[in-house]
Amino acid sequence: MNIRAIKLRIATAEGEFGFKFQFGRGLTVIRGSNSSGKSTLFNCLIYGLGMEELIGGKGEKVLNYAVKDYFLQGETRTQVDMSEVLLELENASGRIVTLRRAIRDAVRHPKLVEVFEGAHLTAGVVLGAPRPTYLFDAGSAQKEEGFFLFLEEFMGYQLPLVPTTAGGMAKLYLQTIFAALAVEQKRGWTDYIANVPFFGIRDARIRVTEFLLGLSVFERQAQRAKLDAESVTIDSDWRKAYDTLRQAATANGVVVEGLSSSATAMFDASTVRLVKSNGKTQTSLADHVSAMRTDHASLGAKAEAYGKASGAEALQELDSASAELQRLSVLHERATTNLTLQKASLAELRQLLTEASEDLERNKTALKLRVLGAQLELEVATDHCPTCHQAVEDTLLSGIVSGPQMDLDTNIKYLDSQRLMLQSQINGALEEIRQSEIAVADVAARLAATHDYRNSLRGDVSNGVAESRAIVRRQIQIELELSNLKAFELLAASLLATLGEVADRLSSNQAARRELPKETYSPADMSRISLFEKYFRSNASSFGYESAAINDIRISLDTLTPILSEIELRQIIKTKGQTSLTADSSASDFVRLIWSYLLALHQTSVMRGFEGHHPGILLMDEPGQHSMRSISQHALLQLLSGQSGLQSIVAASFDENESVFLEATAGLKFELIRWDGKVIQPLT
């Protein structure tokens, strides 16, 4: 992408003011003295692209007062009535558009960016009907009306999805990419890629570098994110079917055996057993149904012979029912008592787990403090009293418990194993409680049915009826239970089939995960990073970097930033003759490293066979930070001007010294933008 021209138009009571400049396709140098408006021009350029978050905010508030409130003409203050920025862009396919964005306007909001087809600023194409787009509000990077989606498509991008700090996925927003393409003066030279707007993207700086270099990590991240999303769905589907089966089983007094509560790829429906308890023993559901049908047939035979039965037989049946009722009452009481004890045991285990976890955290904290103290060479951290220098115990229980005591490391390992053991016991207790609840419900149902049967038998004996109401009631109960169990069997078969399908999906998901590369970067990615490292070293050498041996510098695979002896290269900070371990280069040398880094991103991206996603544009405001030598500035401008396919726009004051400017630009091919006085002048 190329920025062809910019125009600032300010309407006042005295007429129109502002500026209008064109940029070259290669290097363009914006030269202006301090307070002449150089940064105003640069920031208007950033504002016109909708990237003012790189400057430190959103909207017109990031711009100088001179473009939105008032500006000075000599001693005269001129009030701004209306102001806007027009920017002319060209993409790789040759399409030219003109962007118009209001700064101060009674009608148009600064969030509105109007897109016009054609070269209005350079060729005088009349502005036609605009395509209105919006900034910053929800959907501006996703919806067709969003400006960032328009700019993404105009640049030929299809931005990838990347992990967020919240655990989801989000687009690698265009503003984060521009943090490596546009460096403003105040904070832009504080990091390799500074001022990245916060969108909750995890390791945003790394993601930007990976994208510009064209690393294939995004495809693997997208595949891994897809598999992660599938895993969540698989787990949810399994738990839904599992819980439904468990609830239906509990309602029917059925115990489900051989079924995992969490999804497993080794699922076999034939190993799942549906068990029914008769109060004495547990039998399979099929055997239980068969026994109930036998009971139903037996009751039918009894009903036919009931009229011929003697009173003694009726009394014997009543005694048998009473005995069964008494047996079930005892079983119910025992089952209820057992369930109560299990719940009490579970509460105790949970309390023990809480205490063990608290003790574990206290010991870990104590160990951490001791380690930090040892690093600071504190005597107490080395188990010695700082006053009397005698040995002290490495324990939290000194003076409380007599006899041998474990040190912190041993205690932490012990407490951790205790915590794991208690958690395992809690899981087992929960399963026992579920089984007991089913048993209690089953015995309670049988107790109620037997109670009704006995009462009906008493009525039959006392009334001397010809047809037994007790037998009829019991037959109805059996028929109802058989109907419920038949419905449960159909539901269980359907749910087990569903679990089988979920297990197959999990197996496929796990197979796809095994096929993913184990390393973060593929061999092709490693080649790109190696080339990036070579360009970086070469650039640093060209710019006169002197703080460390350049050949010892490499690009970290963890952060994709330059490191020396596993420490990221930054600015040296000296205090009382000591050098900070967190910094390895002087202030000006660190700026040279930033130059080298940003330029190497483009150089690697345009290398044949290593093509990346760099858009071929680099904007720099005052790159000559910290009294940079003119020879270093010349090396930077020379490399920028010699880069094929790179449009670089550099705004600099050159220490307001003509000789510095001439030395920094000697022999270079570039376009120069400069003005006399202030940059805001009457428009002709």
Side-chain angles (χ1 to χ4, degrees), residues 164-209:
T164 66
T165 54
M169 300 292 288
K171 179 183 282 192
L172 183 63
Y173 294 105
L174 203 57
Q175 298 96 306
T176 63
I177 304 297
F178 266 83
L181 308 177
V183 186
E184 58 88 26
Q185 178 181 0
K186 293 182 179 178
R187 296 180 300 160
W189 300 106
T190 59
D191 206 345
Y192 293 102
I193 300 179
N195 300 342
V196 179
F198 179 75
F199 295 111
I201 296 173
R202 187 184 306 158
D203 299 323
R205 185 177 67 175
I206 300 174
R207 302 289 88 81
V208 170
T209 304

Side-chain angles (χ1 to χ4, degrees), residues 217-234:
V217 64
F218 295 105
E219 288 77 2
R220 293 197 296 278
Q221 285 178 347
Q223 180 65 15
R224 187 171 284 108
K226 180 182 178 182
L227 293 174
D228 289 343
E230 286 180 356
S231 295
V232 173
T233 304
I234 287 170

Side-chain angles (χ1 to χ4, degrees), residues 46-93:
I46 300 298
Y47 179 83
L49 289 168
M51 299 295 166
E52 65 267 22
E53 286 174 284
L54 304 179
I55 307 174
K58 294 180 180 180
E60 75 286 355
K61 61 185 178 183
V62 304
L63 297 177
N64 188 279
Y65 67 89
V67 302
K68 58 185 178 180
D69 297 320
Y70 68 89
F71 58 90
L72 297 175
Q73 297 183 81
E75 299 297 326
T76 305
R77 174 183 292 194
T78 302
Q79 194 71 30
V80 174
D81 296 330
M82 185 280 295
S83 57
E84 64 183 11
V85 171
L86 292 94
L87 208 60
E88 189 175 296
L89 308 178
E90 181 180 357
N91 65 10
S93 63

Side-chain angles (χ1 to χ4, degrees), residues 214-263:
L215 303 186
S216 61
V217 64
F218 295 105
E219 288 77 2
R220 293 197 296 278
Q221 285 178 347
Q223 180 65 15
R224 187 171 284 108
K226 180 182 178 182
L227 293 174
D228 289 343
E230 286 180 356
S231 295
V232 173
T233 304
I234 287 170
D235 184 69
S236 175
D237 291 346
W238 181 280
R239 290 187 178 278
K240 182 178 179 181
Y242 175 85
D243 291 342
T244 303
L245 181 58
R246 281 285 188 183
Q247 290 169 5
T250 302
N252 288 277
V254 177
V255 177
V256 182
E257 296 181 347
L259 180 61
S260 172
S261 59
S262 56

Side-chain angles (χ1 to χ4, degrees), residues 19-56:
F19 54 74
K20 178 181 177 183
F21 300 109
Q22 295 187 25
F23 304 102
R25 288 185 172 274
L27 172 63
T28 299
V29 175
I30 302 173
R31 184 186 176 191
S33 59
N34 294 327
S35 302
S36 67
K38 172 177 51 62
S39 291
T40 298
L41 167 57
F42 189 88
N43 290 343
C44 283
L45 183 60
I46 300 298
Y47 179 83
L49 289 168
M51 299 295 166
E52 65 267 22
E53 286 174 284
L54 304 179
I55 307 174

